[in-house]
Amino acid sequence: MKESGHIALTLPSGAVASTDERGRKSLRRAWNQLPRCQRNLIILGVTAFCVTVLLCLTGDQLIAASIKDVEEKAIASPYHMRRELPLANSHHHPEKDLTAAAVVTPAAALPNPEPADDKFDGGNVDYGEANSAENVVRVPDTAAVALPVPLDKKTDNEDGIDILNNVEEPIERLPIEQLDEREQLNEAIRNPLHLGGISIKRHLKKIQPLLAKGQHFHGATNERQSAVVAAFKHSWAGYQKYAWGHDNLKPVSQFSHEWFGLGLTIVDALDTMYIMGLDEEFKEARDWVDLSLRFATKRDVNLFEVTIRVLGGLLSAYHLSGDTMFLTKAAELGNRLLPAFLSPSGIPYSDVNLGDLSAHSPKWSPDSSTSEITTIQLEFRDLSRSTNISIYENVVNKVNEKVHELDKTDGLVPIFINANTGTFRNYATISLGARGDSYYEYLLKQWIQTGRNDNDNLILDYMQAIDGVLTKLMRRTPREHWVYIGELINGKDFKPKMDHLTCYLPGTLILGHQNGMPDSHLILARDLLDTCYQTYMQHPTHLAPEISYFALTDKEEHDIYVKPNDAHNLLRPEFIESLYYFYAVTGNRTYQDMGWTIFQAFETHAKVNAGYTSLGNVRNAQNTRMRDLMESFWLSETLKYFYLLFSDNRKEIDLDQWVFNSEGHPLPVYPPKT
């Protein structure tokens, strides 16, 4: 060997003979003649040469093969082809245990754009903003869920891309129907513009035979109905002039009021206009929804309020008109609300960011309101039945099951529940007013919506709850014997306080009685309706306060009284709703006359130049202290129920075929599932 480090091989002179000298010899014989040590050196040299060649070659094929293997494994995971990075500008509190939350990922919650020829599906997202550094799934101030990151922008038929070689290579993914429920939930959140793995519009075309056909209404048929239509048009004109596209109108100052930035008044009023036969106004509102209603804004919204007002409004407008544009919008909104259900317990968080696709508990408390998490089921179930996609109904059914399993007080529930633990707050108030009311309403209405199945937990829980109302919450005043529903403070101490919200209960009770509930429910409904009417008639304005109190003993001056801070009226619909149910069920026109008295009171005290305003004091007809706000439920509920109450046809909306959600939006009743 030489010092150069190379291996020198010296072959014997007789090992290989030249052609001229010895002729051709067998290579096999020459190899066998070599000493064993030299043969080993030759093998070692050849091996070293081959290894060197392999190391010098490009590794592209090996790397590509590795990527393909990763992609195949990623089929089972919704988080494939993604790496975890630190969360920018997070609000994480080290002292809080967030181990139960999903992994936080930094990518924007970006929906998939659709092909250019799909006007709606692709035009709803500002992708420049979505790709900015600020567009991350953030951890809210309270314990929050972190959501799966959407796939990079793609069309329905887009394949995966080999980044190293910039060549397309298909990524195999399981069909949506083969994913488990959690993966389907993640898929819907990652792709809010999709249904069943394809664009919403393409999916709706696939289920065309199942879509709604639309209903026909004749418009106002008498003077009272015409007066209500005039009130609606006056309200609409003020909103149109001073607050178009905003959530609410301030009719006194003639300005707009924003809450969620979703045009609440427009969406909430769609079905009212359609029922009233206001074709021109309906078309204008329909065009705004189609062209201007956008859900991708990074802004927290309340799950309950947006569900009953916007999702319910869109679904109702779809069923009444047969216009699938409304269903397309409803499906996207439903997908964007789904992050609320990614809590550890399955009890939804109260707040959702529709743009970031994140969810969290309210900032003022770790708990959600019981009524809010149990008053979304009608809408989500209808979205599933309308789109033939089960995930929406599945998530709210799980909420039903969870609440059903919890301990209650004679069927009555506390008004707060924790989304992380899935349990009621200890010693919370029990009330059929704010934060508790519509839990009981939706037990009955869900049962009706799903076909009135015997031995359904929904109706069993409802019947037990009304028994609890009769034994725990119902009282009579000492002199006039007005029946009212009180509250249990700390879950045990009775308080003679009843919200105007509770005046929904007579209507719910008579609706239940029409569907087979016992006579005791009807008796309570009649007695409570009389009391609610008195909360209007005992004030000089003939309008009810937000809260009424009741005497416990005859030593108190009045059987029904109001505290100064509770004397305001927000144009609420609950009592008018109950009057409508009584008229629709019985046909008794006395209830129309009661409603007409109250409608005239609104005309006298709440009407201003630009609409109708909420009032600060119903106890003084000369100084009602206008509060300068026209809530969207004035148009979606109060005026709609007035209009239906005054109809010559008490079955203008057939209660055997339709069920109203908590915002007055009619949704169809479905046959029982076999």
Side-chain angles (χ1 to χ4, degrees):
M1 292 187 181
K2 297 183 180 180
E3 294 296 327
S4 63
H6 294 286
I7 299 175
L9 298 178
T10 303
L11 298 179
S13 57
V16 179
S18 67
T19 304
D20 295 338
E21 294 179 358
R22 299 187 181 181
R24 181 172 296 179
K25 290 188 176 181
S26 169
L27 289 176
R28 184 186 187 100
R29 183 183 304 169
W31 175 257
N32 291 334
Q33 289 178 351
L34 289 174
R36 178 173 295 181
C37 63
Q38 289 188 359
R39 291 203 301 264
N40 290 341
L41 286 174
I42 292 172
I43 293 172
L44 179 62
V46 172
T47 302
F49 174 78
C50 293
V51 171
T52 302
V53 170
L54 287 174
L55 292 176
C56 292
L57 290 176
T58 176
D60 286 357
Q61 294 178 341
L62 293 176
I63 296 174
S66 177
I67 291 177
K68 183 177 180 181
D69 180 63
V70 170
E71 290 172 344
E72 289 174 350
K73 293 179 180 178
I75 293 173
S77 170
Y79 307 100
H80 64 286
M81 295 293 287
R82 193 170 77 240
R83 58 195 180 107
E84 312 277 339
L85 295 177
L87 182 68
N89 299 323
S90 72
H91 298 282
H92 174 64
H93 299 287
E95 71 274 13
K96 292 185 178 181
D97 181 11
L98 298 181
T99 57
V103 178
V104 175
T105 54
L110 179 65
N112 296 336
E114 298 305 320
D117 61 349
D118 192 331
K119 177 179 67 174
F120 158 67
D121 287 345
N124 199 15
V125 182
D126 183 350
Y127 291 106
E129 177 184 358
N131 286 324
S132 68
E134 296 179 356
N135 191 19
V136 298
V137 177
R138 55 188 175 77
V139 179
D141 293 336
T142 54
V145 300
L147 302 168
V149 179
L151 301 174
D152 290 336
K153 295 183 291 183
K154 61 182 181 299
T155 63
D156 291 333
N157 298 320
E158 183 178 355
D159 296 323
I161 296 178
D162 183 343
I163 299 174
L164 291 176
N165 295 317
N166 195 29
V167 295
E168 295 186 358
E169 180 177 343
I171 297 177
E172 296 181 11
R173 297 187 180 92
L174 287 174
I176 190 73
E177 61 272 10
Q178 294 184 20
L179 300 176
D180 63 29
E181 186 173 311
R182 186 71 172 196
E183 290 170 332
Q184 289 185 35
L185 179 59
N186 290 333
E187 182 70 18
I189 295 170
R190 285 200 307 272
N191 301 288
L193 298 180
H194 281 196
L195 285 177
I198 59 177
S199 76
I200 296 173
K201 286 190 175 181
R202 286 181 57 194
H203 176 80
L204 295 184
K205 288 179 181 178
K206 287 177 60 178
I207 63 168
Q208 182 69 38
L210 304 177
L211 299 179
K213 306 302 181 185
Q215 306 293 314
H216 177 70
F217 295 89
H218 297 285
T221 58
N222 57 58
E223 290 185 5
R224 287 180 175 181
Q225 274 196 319
S226 296
V228 177
V229 172
F232 182 96
K233 295 180 75 171
H234 179 69
S235 304
W236 187 254
Y239 171 79
Q240 193 175 39
K241 184 174 182 179
Y242 299 110
W244 183 252
H246 297 280
D247 286 335
N248 298 307
L249 168 68
K250 301 180 74 173
V252 178
S253 60
Q254 299 179 350
F255 202 68
S256 63
H257 172 266
E258 209 70 282
W259 191 8
F260 301 135
L262 296 174
L264 290 182
T265 294
I266 296 176
V267 183
D268 234 357
L270 284 165
D271 55 4
T272 303
M273 289 182 280
Y274 193 85
I275 291 170
M276 290 181 174
L278 298 176
D279 297 339
E280 182 178 338
E281 291 85 352
F282 179 81
K283 182 181 184 305
E284 185 176 29
R286 185 261 181 219
D287 290 344
W288 183 89
V289 171
D290 184 24
L291 300 176
S292 300
L293 181 58
R294 298 290 179 260
F295 300 124
T297 304
K298 299 178 191 176
R299 186 171 188 168
D300 282 359
V301 302
N302 179 270
L303 171 68
F304 159 74
E305 295 288 358
V306 170
T307 296
I308 64 171
R309 297 184 193 225
V310 184
L311 183 59
L314 291 170
L315 289 170
S316 180
Y318 156 69
H319 287 295
L320 295 179
S321 70
D323 189 338
T324 57
M325 182 277 294
F326 295 119
L327 183 56
T328 300
K329 291 285 188 179
E332 182 195 350
L333 177 59
N335 287 339
R336 291 184 181 276
L337 292 172
L338 287 175
F341 298 91
L342 292 177
S343 69
S345 69
I347 296 295
Y349 290 118
S350 67
D351 293 0
V352 184
N353 190 300
L354 298 180
D356 282 349
L357 301 178
S358 61
H360 59 87
S361 300
K363 294 180 179 179
W364 49 267
S365 168
D367 299 330
S368 299
S369 299
T370 302
S371 64
E372 293 189 357
I373 63 100
T374 55
T375 311
I376 55 180
Q377 281 77 3
L378 288 180
E379 299 80 2
F380 274 80
R381 181 178 294 108
D382 185 77
L383 182 57
S384 276
R385 303 293 178 94
S386 298
T387 61
N388 206 30
I389 297 293
S390 63
I391 187 62
Y392 314 107
E393 183 169 4
N394 291 344
V395 293
V396 294
N397 280 346
K398 287 191 173 181
V399 177
N400 284 344
E401 294 167 4
K402 184 72 176 181
V403 175
H404 170 72
E405 294 169 357
L406 296 176
D407 291 335
K408 305 174 183 67
T409 301
D410 292 345
L412 305 174
V413 296
I415 62 174
F416 291 110
I417 188 170
N418 190 286
N420 291 310
T421 64
T423 57
F424 292 126
R425 181 191 293 182
N426 292 330
Y427 308 111
T429 294
I430 291 175
S431 171
L432 268 71
R435 306 190 187 283
D437 49 357
S438 46
Y439 161 71
Y440 307 96
E441 173 192 2
Y442 267 41
L443 287 176
L444 176 69
K445 288 184 174 180
Q446 286 187 79
W447 177 69
I448 293 173
Q449 181 192 36
T450 53
R452 306 171 180 86
N453 294 295
D454 294 337
N455 298 319
D456 190 318
N457 286 334
L458 292 167
I459 198 61
L460 297 178
D461 287 351
Y462 173 77
M463 295 179 68
Q464 184 183 22
I466 301 305
D467 287 346
V469 170
L470 290 167
T471 58
K472 297 286 186 180
L473 301 181
M474 191 197 80
R475 297 285 192 281
R476 292 181 181 270
T477 60
R479 286 179 291 269
E480 301 294 333
H481 306 294
W482 300 118
V483 169
Y484 66 96
I485 306 299
E487 298 179 348
L488 294 180
I489 306 303
N490 299 322
K492 57 182 179 179
D493 300 324
F494 184 81
K495 184 176 183 179
K497 165 183 173 286
M498 187 172 80
D499 296 352
H500 182 274
L501 289 168
T502 308
C503 287
Y504 82 92
L505 186 59
T508 298
L509 288 168
I510 196 170
L511 178 64
H513 183 264
Q514 184 192 30
N515 285 276
M517 297 299 102
D519 289 345
S520 59
H521 292 200
L522 179 61
I523 295 170
L524 176 59
R526 288 171 174 166
D527 290 344
L528 190 57
L529 188 81
D530 289 341
T531 302
C532 287
Y533 189 55
Q534 289 304 311
T535 65
Y536 283 79
M537 294 300 104
Q538 291 193 11
H539 301 290
T541 58
H542 286 176
L543 293 174
E546 182 72 359
I547 299 172
S548 296
Y549 287 82
F550 299 83
L552 288 172
T553 68
D554 55 11
K555 295 180 180 179
E556 298 176 73
E557 183 178 358
H558 301 288
D559 271 18
I560 304 175
Y561 61 97
V562 181
K563 296 181 178 180
N565 290 338
D566 303 324
H568 51 287
N569 181 291
L570 303 181
L571 311 177
R572 287 199 183 276
E574 286 76 22
F575 179 60
I576 311 306
E577 174 186 358
S578 285
L579 286 176
Y580 160 67
Y581 278 113
F582 267 76
Y583 169 63
V585 171
T586 68
N588 188 335
R589 295 187 180 274
T590 299
Y591 304 116
Q592 290 182 320
D593 296 336
M594 295 166 67
W596 182 245
T597 300
I598 296 171
F599 177 77
Q600 289 179 309
F602 279 124
E603 287 286 298
T604 300
H605 299 289
K607 187 176 183 178
V608 295
N609 288 337
Y612 292 76
T613 181
S614 52
L615 305 173
N617 183 16
V618 300
R619 300 182 301 170
N620 188 340
Q622 307 306 316
N623 183 22
T624 56
R625 300 202 308 267
M626 295 180 179
R627 291 167 63 102
D628 193 20
L629 186 64
M630 187 178 78
E631 293 269 8
S632 68
F633 55 65
W634 167 252
L635 300 174
S636 72
E637 294 187 81
T638 311
L639 290 180
K640 182 189 285 116
Y641 285 127
F642 270 131
Y643 180 84
L644 295 173
L645 171 63
F646 299 145
S647 177
D648 295 324
N649 177 16
R650 62 189 175 100
K651 291 191 175 183
E652 188 156 356
I653 299 289
D654 189 345
L655 295 179
D656 291 330
Q657 302 297 325
W658 298 87
V659 59
F660 286 90
N661 85 334
S662 193
E663 190 73 5
H665 298 304
L667 301 172
V669 171
Y670 292 95
K673 283 189 173 181
T674 55

